[in-house]
Amino acid sequence: MTTVGQEQEQEQPTRPALEMVGVRKVYKMGDEEVVALDHATLMIGADEVVALLGPSGSGKTTLCSIAGGLLAPTAGSVVVGGQDITGYNAKRLAKFRQETVGFVFQSVNLVPFLTARENLLVVDQLGRRTGKAARDRADQLLEELGLADRRDNLPSQLSGGQRQRVAIGRSLMNEPLLVLFDEPTSALDTELGEQVMELIRTEMKSRGTAAVVVTHDERIVHYTDRTMHIVDGVLHA
Amino acid sequence: MSDRYPSYGAVFLALKEMRRALVRFGLLMASIGLLVFLILFQQTLQTGLITSFVGAIRHQSAPVLVYSVDGRRNLQGSIITSDLQKKIVAVPGVGSAGEIGQGSFSVTAGSKLTSAAIIGYQTEGLGSPTTLVSGRLAHADGEVVALASSAGDGFGLGDTVVVQPGGLKLRVVGQATEIGYQASPTLFSTYPTFEQAVLAANPDARAALPAVIAVAPAPGTTDAELVARINDAVPGADAVTRADAVASTPGVAQVQQSFQVIFLLFGLVVPLVTGLFFLIVTLQKASSLTLLRALGAPSSALVRSLLFQVSLVLVIGIGIGIALYTPLSSQTLGSIPLSFQTGAVVLWSVVLFVLGLLSALVAVRRVLRIDPIEATTGAGLGR
Ligand SMILES: Nc1ncnc2c1ncn2[C@@H]1O[C@H](COP(=O)(O)OP(=O)(O)O)[C@@H](O)[C@H]1O
Ligand SMILES: [Mg+2]
């Protein structure tokens, strides 16, 4: 069964995973305006894994949120896998997020009262409901991520590294065109962080899925194809 | 495919959460169950109490009763003189009329001395009991129909009850339910039997005056019209329909009012507990709900999941309440016989379910207010 293919016209697999043109994001805080992102223009290939490197507060999370359809830009256009999401309303954005992108957030990634496997399945259950296909995919992902024997554990019964692996599996459940990782290693020690980055690279490359890995850690760039730098909301590709 | 069973995912989420927080949800269901039980029990107690006080009036056959004004709707205080009786019977619209007398007597029943109310009616159909469950109505002198729930106290079918002093023997020839008066064992007899009891107990009494005149309207006249006509035409007469006679018997309204306050409190507590519980639970899992929204779960699915939980908790809670209530409802509490009240069970179940569901709307509003962007900061909802 085709899942995300039809709308994205997958007959052109070389279409970029993400294109942003002149994207600007201004937060209004009372009278003050914070320009979190300014004139961001970038393109990420269909199977490219890109690092987004910048100091804290430079606009990395804002950029990812806009790319993933969580946040509407103040100006500019956003096209993901050929789908222009710029003018989407909240409902269409939710559907877009559900079908087209994968997320690994900086803080909360798992529902505490669901097991590892259920965390992978829950979004499909609440949305597309592909049933057995989703269950098979969840089992396959847990196997790949070395979590087969942990599938029935609750997040509280897992280590930090295991939780992060479950989150990675969850981000791949909907066969996304683009996965956005927001500081995926920041909560892990160096060794675990390297293992997780290795895993991210392997998983992306074996699927030919594009990814943006947000970090302020220089070492992570070894695992990516390319690095974009961002400082004070300005992107240096 | 995605829309065919749109609720399934919501049910999945709801049940998983409940299963992993069994104690918390179990306690809520138990609390609701206990409250429902208390409501139903009080409702039954109220009905039992009122029935034991005025069941005899509710379940007698006359549609309209005429008291004397100074009787204050109390059988014991009301006396109808023959002069008053003549005027009442003469009012146009009176189809038939008969005397009803009532007295409280010391009796020996089952070899024990106790007190009993005797209600004597002149005309069958105008004051005779309507809830006969065994035997027959009293026809001959010395025959009575007794309150069925007092059978164990020597008022069973075939038992002989002796009026003291005087030694008048009364034989129970029938049993009727819910014909208690003033919470005493109650006996319905013909008017002559009642008179004999009065004279036996008090040989100085010259006659037994009726307490009320039972009347039925002539064809073409309604009960209410008849009541109005008698009250207009006869000063000193206080005519009421049977239902009004029950409701306005001294004490009944006060009992009902006290219970109504209790019901109001319980009726507020159940939705309050439910609403607060789900609001707290929703706030506590805000980060999970935000995460799910960020991952593209529609807010409608999260709302359905919440409403499913609320419904399930209410249904199980109410079920527990009914289960606790059922065995108790067939007991006798002191002298008050209780009975399973289907109407009250259905009414309270529906009312509490609807109120409980409405109370969860506060939590629903919280869910709808979630901004998925907060998943990127981990802030969650609740600002
Ligand atoms: N919701 C918001 N309201 C106001 N300012 C915000 C908001 N989110 C982010 N910002 C500001 O925008 C800038 C970029 O933030 P962010 O994208 O979170 O940076 P990074 O992820 O690189 O740390 C910061 O100055 C931050 O304070
Ligand atoms: Mg950030």
Side-chain angles (χ1 to χ4, degrees):
Chain A
M1 196 183 96
T2 323
T3 50
V4 291
Q6 287 144 345
E7 271 187 50
Q8 275 77 48
E9 298 160 37
Q10 249 182 4
E11 66 271 18
Q12 293 170 284
T14 52
R15 170 165 273 169
L18 174 65
E19 292 166 275
M20 281 184 163
V21 180
V23 170
R24 183 177 161 84
K25 182 66 193 181
V26 181
Y27 290 109
K28 287 205 174 63
M29 307 245 298
D31 290 342
E32 259 184 74
E33 290 194 340
V34 180
V35 181
L37 200 59
D38 204 7
H39 295 104
T41 298
L42 62 85
M43 184 182 287
I44 292 173
D47 56 359
E48 228 182 342
V49 177
V50 178
L52 179 60
L53 191 64
S56 183
S58 55
K60 305 183 295 293
T61 298
T62 301
L63 190 146
C64 279
S65 303
I66 292 172
L70 276 167
L71 194 62
T74 311
S77 72
V78 185
V79 179
V80 178
Q83 190 179 175
D84 188 346
I85 63 167
T86 313
Y88 277 16
N89 64 15
K91 201 170 173 183
R92 283 190 79 184
L93 279 176
K95 191 163 158 31
F96 161 78
R97 292 197 299 274
Q98 189 185 99
E99 295 180 344
T100 314
V101 284
F103 290 98
V104 172
F105 297 109
Q106 211 173 336
S107 51
V108 179
N109 269 302
L110 301 177
V111 177
F113 54 80
L114 297 179
T115 64
R117 185 166 183 266
E118 288 161 359
N119 262 288
L120 262 60
L121 289 172
V122 66
V123 177
D124 185 75
Q125 299 266 24
L126 290 175
R128 296 190 298 169
R129 304 215 340 92
T130 55
K132 182 160 164 33
R135 289 195 294 277
D136 289 347
R137 187 165 175 77
D139 290 336
Q140 186 205 325
L141 278 165
L142 288 168
E143 181 78 47
E144 275 177 34
L145 295 163
L147 292 163
D149 57 340
R150 291 286 177 178
R151 47 176 253 170
D152 295 326
N153 284 76
L154 294 174
S156 58
Q157 299 164 321
L158 300 174
S159 70
Q162 287 169 334
R163 282 202 285 266
Q164 204 63 340
R165 279 187 275 159
V166 177
I168 293 167
R170 207 270 332 285
S171 74
L172 292 168
M173 268 304 287
N174 58 348
E175 306 182 282
L177 297 182
L178 172 69
V179 186
L180 303 158
F181 295 92
D182 198 350
E183 315 222 11
T185 62
S186 64
L188 306 174
D189 65 31
T190 313
E191 202 189 324
L192 266 179
E194 283 171 357
Q195 282 173 19
V196 164
M197 275 314 299
E198 187 66 53
L199 194 63
I200 289 175
R201 184 176 172 82
T202 315
E203 290 295 320
M204 296 304 125
K205 286 301 166 190
S206 67
R207 288 180 165 72
T209 302
V212 175
V213 184
V214 165
T215 184
H216 56 253
D217 183 353
E218 290 277 358
R219 286 170 299 185
I220 274 174
V221 303
H222 303 309
Y223 297 92
T224 57
D225 300 329
R226 177 157 72 90
T227 305
M228 296 187 297
H229 292 269
I230 184 168
V231 179
D232 287 340
V234 181
L235 203 58
H236 307 276
Chain B
M1 171 165 185
S2 61
D3 291 319
R4 213 184 305 162
Y5 305 106
S7 300
Y8 175 80
V11 170
F12 164 88
L13 187 65
L15 289 179
K16 288 291 180 244
E17 186 195 357
M18 290 175 79
R19 221 185 75 196
R20 302 220 160 96
L22 259 189
V23 173
R24 173 191 291 208
F25 281 91
L27 280 176
L28 175 66
M29 292 188 281
S31 314
I32 293 176
L34 214 55
L35 287 166
V36 169
F37 164 73
L38 286 173
I39 291 174
L40 293 175
F41 179 65
Q42 305 262 14
Q43 177 83 63
T44 303
L45 191 62
Q46 180 200 23
T47 308
L49 210 58
I50 291 175
T51 301
S52 74
F53 266 91
V54 291
I57 296 175
R58 180 179 285 151
H59 298 301
Q60 58 77 38
S61 50
V64 173
L65 298 173
V66 189
Y67 295 79
S68 65
V69 167
D70 45 9
R72 296 171 185 278
R73 309 243 165 119
N74 188 342
L75 290 181
Q76 264 139 351
S78 179
I79 296 171
I80 306 289
T81 59
S82 59
D83 181 47
L84 188 57
Q85 182 174 356
K86 275 178 203 137
K87 288 181 187 159
I88 292 166
V89 174
V91 172
V94 171
S96 54
E99 299 169 349
I100 295 180
Q102 186 271 345
S104 197
F105 298 87
S106 290
V107 297
T108 317
S111 74
K112 265 190 302 191
L113 191 66
T114 179
S115 69
I118 300 179
I119 296 174
Y121 53 89
Q122 197 176 31
T123 313
E124 208 168 289
L126 286 176
S128 48
T130 56
T131 49
L132 202 70
V133 285
S134 67
R136 54 172 176 81
L137 291 179
H139 298 131
D141 284 1
E143 290 182 348
V144 292
V145 167
L147 173 63
S149 61
S150 61
D153 300 322
F155 297 89
L157 198 61
D159 286 349
T160 298
V161 178
V162 184
V163 178
Q164 303 292 357
L168 178 71
K169 286 194 168 74
L170 303 174
R171 199 164 60 83
V172 179
V173 297
Q175 291 179 304
T177 54
E178 302 188 344
I179 53 161
Y181 189 71
Q182 308 262 308
S184 312
T186 304
L187 306 168
F188 274 74
S189 68
T190 60
Y191 203 83
T193 304
F194 163 70
E195 272 183 319
Q196 285 159 23
V198 170
L199 295 173
N202 181 8
D204 297 339
R206 264 176 280 141
L209 290 177
V212 293
I213 301 300
V215 292
T221 308
T222 66
D223 296 346
E225 283 164 3
L226 183 60
V227 165
R229 281 195 207 164
I230 294 173
N231 287 334
D232 283 348
V234 189
D238 179 19
V240 278
T241 59
R242 181 168 51 217
D244 287 347
V246 170
S248 61
T249 296
V252 169
Q254 285 85 335
V255 168
Q256 273 170 336
Q257 269 163 23
S258 317
F259 274 100
Q260 254 148 30
V261 174
I262 294 171
F263 292 145
L264 186 74
L265 288 179
F266 276 129
L268 287 177
V269 167
V270 171
L272 209 69
V273 166
T274 313
L276 263 179
F277 176 90
F278 280 101
L279 182 60
I280 291 169
V281 166
T282 301
L283 291 177
Q284 279 183 342
K285 64 177 179 195
S287 59
S288 294
L289 297 174
T290 307
L291 172 69
L292 292 173
R293 289 283 288 115
L295 298 177
S299 49
S300 61
L302 300 182
V303 168
R304 274 201 303 271
S305 173
L306 172 65
L307 291 180
F308 175 79
Q309 277 186 348
V310 178
S311 307
L312 192 65
V313 161
L314 285 169
V315 165
I316 294 179
I318 291 169
I320 291 173
I322 296 173
L324 290 174
Y325 163 75
T326 306
L328 205 106
S329 66
S330 58
Q331 306 291 309
T332 298
L333 199 75
S335 64
I336 302 164
L338 305 180
S339 64
F340 185 90
Q341 293 192 278
T342 311
V345 169
V346 171
L347 181 79
W348 277 110
S349 299
V350 171
V351 165
L352 293 176
F353 183 81
V354 171
L355 287 180
L357 215 52
L358 286 178
S359 76
L361 290 182
V362 187
V364 168
R365 219 184 67 186
R366 280 293 188 177
V367 172
L368 290 174
R369 272 217 222 140
I370 292 170
D371 187 349
I373 184 63
E374 286 176 0
T376 63
T377 60
L381 94 178
R383 352 174 249 177

